[in-house]
Amino acid sequence: MTENAQQQPSAPDSELPTQYAPADVEGPLYERWVERGYFEADAKSEKPPYTIVIPPPNVTGSLHLGHAFQHTLMDALTRRKRMQGFESLWLPGMDHAGIATQNVVERELGKEGKSRHDLGREAFVERVWQWKDEYGGKILGQMRRLGDGVDWTRERFTMDEGLSQAVQTIFKRLYDDELIYRAERIINWCPRCLTAISDIEVEYQDDDGELVSMKYGEGDDTIVVATTRAETMLGDTAVAVHPDDERYKHLVGRHIKLPLTDRTIPVVADTHVDPEFGTGAVKVTPAHDPNDFAIGQRHDLEALTVMDERGVITVHGPFEGLDRFEARSAIVAALRADGRIVAEKRPYVHSVGHCSRCKTTIEPRLSMQWWVKVAPLAKAAGDAVRDGRVKIHPQEMEKRYFDWVDNLHDWCISRQLWWGHRIPVWYGPEGEVVCVGPDDEPPTGEGWTQDSDVLDTWFSSGLWPFSTLGWPEQTPDLKKFYPTDVLLTGHDIIFFWVARMMMFGLYAMDGEVPFKTIALTGLVRDQFGKKMSKSSGTAVDPLDWMNAYGSDAVRFTLARGANPGTDVPIGESWVQASRNFANKIWNATRFALMNGATIEGELPPAERLSATDRWILSRLNKTVSQADALYDDFQFAKLSDALYHFAWDEVFDWYVELSKTTFMAGGEPAKVSGRVLGEVLDVTLKLLHPIVPFVTETLWTTLTGGESIVIADWPKDSGFRDEAAEREIETLQQVITEVRRFRADQGLQPGQRVPARLTLDGTALAPHEAAIRQLLRLQPEGDTFAATATLPVAGATVALDLSGTIDVAAERKRLAKDLAAAEKEKAQATAKLGNEAFLAKAPDNVVDKIRGRLSKADEDIERIKAQLDGLPQA
């Protein structure tokens, strides 16, 4: 089963310290891996490729638990594939994060009493680059600390020279194909960031507001409208009603007076209006509401902008210069004084959009912007999943994906920022518009200017799977490693990023998908399932936990909670438990090495192996097969749990303990068990390595003398199975567990020795008498032996002399309670199996489960009655 093609095993050249100290191990190990080039991928290799590009963290960021979570899973996938013989590339990089980074640098300037306008565009952008070089990339060092096996030679940045060329290239192609255009439309405007933002960057929450009903017109021309944004009434250019609403038919086509102004506005009929909602009449402000803008387009209404970019009123003397919220109160007061207020409702809870970056209330605003025509791109992105070229895991997440791509609006890609990819369009003195590609010379001469806006951050990150591999050049990397294999990311950015990459990848790469599988994860939560936040004191810096418990402990905890698509609760006590697991692996391997565990030589044939050896090898092969299936299905939680219980329970708690008597006896059986134990540890450490790389590297190289587990061969299921041995050891475990429970119930100390007579003849347990006595602390019966308790278990009998130590009455009471529970279980199962209606409707697996419960109850009743019979009379 063990394959060490890269190196020849030799005897361990050093002893393990008595305790595992992660801080002493992890840093030097990681640097050794990087120096030896283990993570570097070769585009010329004939090995099959396996590619993951990292979701690029913001250059402003630091490693939070969400990063650590996803990085652990991506690292596990790529480490395993590397061991399986793939040319495994995990490509790292960072995102320039336009708004977020510009905000950080502007705050720094603010401390100096300056703004970006004091510096000017060129100097400000240079300042941002300086900040990026000095402070950005902190996360990259933290990635090393976590153990990320990324190819640092291929590190990319969304504004490096190559990616900038890719951005300019695809903009030019989309523009030439009439998929990018410029138009004046309503956009989401942030008065704090002073830029447009896309629909998906708006966060909606229920806010306390006010609903004000106000009267427009005079006399018979009166009409009542309601609004939560009274300040926008200064920009009203119509009132709309439904064409079939009899109440207002006499007003349609007429003009009525707009309060507080010297204007009159028309009443128009539009099917958008719901006659059943409110008064059935709505005010129309085309420059400040997307629905009103559409009405305005249909009825050729004027669009009046009444606020500037900071949300300050720009019209109508009394209110000019007021902030939008100040103006709201002032306008309502003025309307009230004029007798125009019909009703006021406060508080009025309604959904309000906020900037996802700074939490400022979004202002819909008419603006000239650049747009991507998404319909054909989105259709291609949907088709790629529908026809199976791209798999979404878990599959139930497909609905969210289709809900998004099937209903996409055109994407506003221009941002009124200075930091980012500047839009490659020049305007001439005579109204010329020229889009410039990377190989074109921009127009020069008097009157020519470049568009001042930059592109949405998601525009450049949408190119990430292919731009990082050298596109638009047809590089060896692009040929070898595209399409990528897995995109592993949180379900929360399926709209921000995943759909963008699908659209651009299919467009730029002639219909070839950017990745074959989208593996969606949940979000990391606190131990109570709530969102972590600094304000509530629940946010955790993963470095604190890594410092305290080691990176492996943090990684294992995160992986053990990673059920596909569902959120991951995590608490410090769980990390402590994972630290204990790492220590268990360490101590058990130390014991194994001290007792001759080795991988030298071939495994002995089955006939030379004890039942215990055959059992653990059979279980080992099943675990390899199970691990492969779970890795391939992204079931990291189930995988981690299976490996945990196999390593801790079966290898360390059972096999090692059962083998102690063999090792103590020495001779050929001890050598055989040493070779089996070496095999089991070799494979177990390899199975664990992708998730807990540091402790497994240290132990494996000591065990095998190999160069590194990073480049070792992934274990394969040899097909060896021994069901008889598994049943035999399960019976042995049952005996030991039952007697241990009995001892504990009697208050016996774990190390307290008790005289016992074992009747094992005629059972498969006979060869295990020495192990049974060793593990149960049972000494020979002696001349004065008197059985005070007899435990029949699995066909064997264990008679104990508990003279002076057992409380017979208490034991009878306990067993009577257990017997009553078993009899109740039997009665319930019997009743269900005797119910014809139930049997007709219940699935086969449910019926089989109940039959199993009945069988188990019968066994328990028989066992407990035998134990009661074996007790001395009180």
Side-chain angles (χ1 to χ4, degrees):
M1 193 187 314
T2 300
E3 299 175 13
N4 292 306
Q6 293 92 343
Q7 61 275 323
Q8 293 297 318
S10 60
D13 56 8
S14 63
E15 291 186 359
L16 291 171
T18 55
Q19 291 184 326
Y20 177 48
D24 297 338
V25 170
E26 294 174 350
L29 261 189
Y30 187 83
E31 294 309 316
R32 189 183 312 156
W33 291 334
V34 174
E35 289 167 6
R36 293 180 178 180
Y38 292 156
F39 306 139
E40 294 175 20
D42 182 3
K44 298 178 181 178
S45 167
E46 294 184 0
K47 296 178 181 178
Y50 184 82
T51 315
I52 293 180
V53 291
I54 206 166
N58 289 350
V59 69
T60 58
S62 60
L63 191 72
H64 55 66
L65 275 175
H67 287 124
F69 169 55
Q70 292 180 359
H71 288 203
T72 293
L73 306 187
M74 286 183 278
D75 196 29
L77 291 172
T78 49
R79 283 179 181 270
R80 172 176 174 253
K81 286 295 182 179
R82 188 177 294 113
M83 295 172 74
Q84 286 183 312
F86 286 77
E87 196 62 39
S88 190
L89 169 61
W90 186 19
L91 192 147
M94 293 183 295
D95 195 316
H96 67 280
I99 296 177
T101 305
Q102 179 158 319
N103 283 348
V104 169
V105 177
E106 286 197 78
R107 283 197 295 270
E108 292 298 310
L109 282 175
K111 296 176 183 177
E112 303 171 16
K114 298 179 181 178
S115 74
R116 59 178 163 131
H117 300 286
D118 294 322
L119 272 65
R121 182 166 193 147
E122 187 175 337
F124 176 77
V125 170
E126 178 59 31
R127 180 73 175 259
V128 181
W129 276 107
Q130 292 173 6
W131 184 91
K132 183 260 180 185
D133 292 339
E134 184 174 356
Y135 297 105
K138 175 184 177 184
I139 196 169
L140 300 179
Q142 295 169 324
M143 287 166 59
R144 301 171 87 92
R145 179 66 191 280
L146 188 66
D148 284 7
V150 297
D151 185 345
W152 292 110
T153 67
R154 287 177 165 84
E155 181 190 337
R156 303 305 299 268
F157 179 53
T158 49
M159 282 184 62
D160 66 29
E161 184 177 351
L163 269 66
S164 295
Q165 182 184 18
V167 168
Q168 198 171 352
T169 298
I170 201 164
F171 188 100
K172 171 69 171 170
R173 291 187 186 180
L174 289 164
Y175 181 86
D176 290 346
D177 287 344
E178 299 183 349
L179 293 172
I180 282 183
Y181 62 95
R182 192 169 185 241
E184 189 176 42
R185 292 187 178 176
I186 294 286
I187 47 88
N188 303 300
W189 181 264
C190 176
R192 160 62 183 81
C193 298
L194 298 180
T195 182
I197 63 174
S198 65
D199 291 343
I200 54 178
E201 293 172 299
V202 178
E203 294 178 348
Y204 288 91
Q205 66 183 49
D206 287 341
D207 286 357
D208 286 344
E210 59 182 352
L211 180 67
V212 178
S213 298
M214 46 196 180
K215 184 169 56 177
Y216 285 13
E218 304 288 351
D220 292 340
D221 291 349
T222 298
I223 194 167
V224 176
V225 298
T227 182
T228 58
R229 300 166 66 219
E231 67 278 8
T232 64
M233 61 86 59
L234 300 176
D236 286 358
T237 55
V239 170
V241 297
H242 194 275
D244 300 331
D245 195 331
E246 294 292 336
R247 294 172 294 176
Y248 303 116
K249 279 199 171 182
H250 69 288
L251 288 176
V252 174
R254 298 176 64 175
H255 280 66
I256 61 174
K257 180 174 174 53
L258 179 66
L260 306 182
T261 74
D262 57 2
R263 293 191 292 117
T264 61
I265 58 177
V267 178
V268 299
D270 196 282
T271 55
H272 170 75
V273 180
D274 180 2
E276 302 299 323
F277 183 77
T279 63
V282 296
K283 59 191 286 299
V284 182
T285 321
H288 292 278
D289 183 274
N291 293 322
D292 293 2
F293 177 78
I295 294 175
Q297 292 283 92
R298 289 192 288 272
H299 297 276
D300 197 25
L301 300 175
E302 184 180 5
L304 296 178
T305 299
V306 298
M307 280 180 242
D308 68 11
E309 60 184 7
R310 297 182 182 276
V312 174
I313 302 299
T314 58
V315 297
H316 200 70
F319 310 110
E320 187 173 357
L322 294 180
D323 171 80
R324 53 185 168 156
F325 300 118
E326 295 172 336
R328 181 177 299 173
S329 299
I331 287 170
V332 170
L335 289 167
R336 189 183 301 112
D338 200 27
R340 293 282 177 176
I341 299 297
V342 176
E344 298 178 68
K345 183 176 181 180
R346 296 188 186 87
Y348 180 72
V349 178
H350 62 131
S351 181
V352 178
H354 296 261
C355 174
S356 62
R357 303 289 181 182
C358 68
K359 312 309 177 187
T360 300
T361 300
I362 288 300
E363 191 63 45
R365 188 168 189 256
L366 185 63
S367 181
M368 183 68 75
Q369 301 286 344
W370 285 95
W371 304 81
V372 172
K373 187 183 296 183
V374 300
L377 304 174
K379 182 181 184 305
D383 290 346
V385 175
R386 287 189 169 96
D387 64 25
R389 283 175 290 156
V390 176
K391 305 288 187 185
I392 292 182
H393 187 87
Q395 190 174 2
E396 55 264 27
M397 286 286 181
E398 282 186 1
K399 183 179 184 303
R400 294 185 64 186
Y401 176 80
F402 291 134
D403 285 347
W404 180 251
V405 298
D406 292 347
N407 297 285
L408 270 179
H409 301 296
D410 284 1
W411 172 20
C412 177
I413 57 171
S414 44
R415 298 290 181 267
Q416 290 63 56
L417 305 170
W418 288 355
W419 172 245
H421 294 280
R422 195 164 176 180
I423 289 176
V425 171
W426 271 255
Y427 306 108
E430 303 299 326
E432 303 96 330
V433 179
V434 177
C435 181
V436 176
D439 299 324
D440 302 330
E441 288 294 328
T444 57
E446 187 176 350
W448 283 93
T449 58
Q450 185 179 358
D451 196 300
S452 60
D453 289 352
V454 301
L455 288 163
D456 179 10
T457 297
W458 298 104
F459 189 95
S460 53
S461 60
L463 316 181
W464 191 251
F466 51 94
S467 63
T468 52
L469 296 172
W471 187 91
E473 302 299 325
Q474 295 303 305
T475 63
D477 274 5
L478 194 64
K479 182 178 179 181
K480 176 74 174 180
F481 297 111
Y482 190 91
T484 66
D485 287 271
V486 176
L487 171 71
L488 191 144
T489 190
H491 62 66
D492 56 322
I493 60 171
I494 191 171
F495 318 123
F496 288 91
W497 192 44
V498 177
R500 310 294 195 214
M501 287 187 289
M502 286 286 282
M503 291 191 296
F504 282 165
L506 289 161
Y507 173 80
M509 298 300 292
D510 300 320
E512 196 168 16
V513 298
F515 22 74
K516 299 165 189 172
T517 300
I518 301 169
L520 296 172
T521 70
L523 308 179
V524 177
R525 305 289 189 182
D526 69 17
Q527 59 186 321
F528 305 108
K530 296 181 180 179
K531 183 178 181 180
M532 290 185 172
S533 68
K534 292 181 180 179
S535 60
S536 63
T538 58
V540 174
D541 183 343
L543 287 176
D544 291 341
W545 282 354
M546 285 189 267
N547 289 335
Y549 308 111
S551 298
D552 283 336
V554 174
R555 290 171 61 114
F556 192 75
T557 304
L558 291 165
R560 205 171 181 190
N563 289 298
T566 59
D567 290 347
V568 183
I570 183 172
E572 188 167 5
S573 62
W574 304 344
V575 186
Q576 292 171 345
S578 295
R579 185 269 317 273
N580 295 343
F581 179 51
N583 289 340
K584 182 77 170 182
I585 301 171
W586 184 272
N587 293 332
T589 305
R590 282 190 74 246
F591 168 84
L593 290 170
M594 289 188 293
N595 284 275
T598 180
I599 64 165
E600 291 188 34
E602 294 295 322
L603 270 176
E607 57 268 21
R608 288 181 55 200
L609 301 177
S610 68
T612 307
D613 294 335
R614 297 195 306 276
W615 161 73
I616 198 62
L617 290 176
S618 183
R619 290 293 306 128
L620 178 68
N621 276 282
K622 287 183 178 179
T623 302
V624 170
S625 181
Q626 181 185 20
D628 278 332
L630 293 172
Y631 266 117
D632 290 340
D633 198 34
F634 308 102
Q635 297 281 356
F636 293 99
K638 292 180 180 178
L639 166 71
S640 302
D641 208 50
L643 295 179
Y644 174 91
H645 286 294
F646 175 72
W648 190 307
D649 300 344
E650 298 188 73
V651 179
F652 304 144
D653 275 0
W654 282 109
Y655 182 74
V656 168
E657 291 298 317
L658 289 170
S659 300
K660 281 183 177 179
T661 53
T662 304
F663 289 132
M664 291 169 61
E668 185 62 21
K671 291 182 180 180
V672 170
S673 289
R675 178 64 187 89
V676 171
L677 181 53
E679 181 78 8
V680 172
L681 287 174
D682 172 39
V683 173
T684 302
L685 293 171
K686 287 176 179 177
L687 295 176
L688 284 165
H689 171 72
I691 300 173
V692 284
F694 294 108
V695 68
T696 52
E697 168 82 335
T698 306
L699 296 175
W700 186 85
T701 52
T702 304
L703 170 71
T704 68
E707 179 185 340
S708 173
I709 197 172
V710 176
I711 55 172
D713 290 333
W714 185 253
K716 295 178 181 178
D717 177 1
S718 70
F720 177 81
R721 300 288 190 276
D722 193 325
E723 302 297 338
E726 289 195 41
R727 288 193 297 271
E728 182 174 328
I729 300 305
E730 286 171 8
T731 302
L732 175 61
Q733 292 171 333
Q734 184 181 347
V735 171
I736 292 171
T737 300
E738 187 65 33
V739 177
R740 279 177 172 168
R741 188 179 74 163
F742 179 81
R743 287 177 55 110
D745 289 341
Q746 299 310 308
L748 298 177
Q749 295 300 315
Q752 184 176 350
R753 293 195 168 274
V754 177
R757 176 187 298 141
L758 305 184
T759 306
L760 308 176
D761 295 342
T763 73
L765 299 175
H768 302 286
E769 179 168 354
I772 293 172
R773 287 189 176 276
Q774 172 66 25
L775 292 175
L776 292 174
R777 303 296 189 266
L778 303 179
Q779 63 190 38
E781 53 193 272
D783 296 336
T784 60
F785 179 82
T788 58
T790 303
L791 305 177
V793 187
T797 303
V798 179
L800 304 173
D801 184 353
L802 302 177
S803 303
T805 63
I806 186 172
D807 184 338
V808 175
E811 178 60 9
R812 283 191 175 277
K813 185 177 180 180
R814 182 189 71 80
L815 289 172
K817 184 178 179 181
D818 290 350
L819 181 60
E823 288 174 338
K824 181 179 179 182
E825 174 74 357
K826 178 179 180 178
Q828 291 175 342
T830 300
K832 283 193 173 183
L833 293 174
N835 185 332
E836 294 297 332
F838 170 78
L839 293 176
K841 295 179 181 179
D844 290 344
N845 64 315
V846 172
V847 175
D848 289 343
K849 187 175 181 180
I850 294 172
R851 287 188 178 126
R853 284 170 49 192
L854 177 60
S855 177
K856 175 68 165 51
D858 282 332
E859 292 176 4
D860 288 345
I861 291 169
E862 182 180 355
R863 171 180 56 81
I864 295 168
K865 285 182 175 179
Q867 287 179 269
L868 283 167
D869 291 341
L871 286 175
Q873 295 300 315

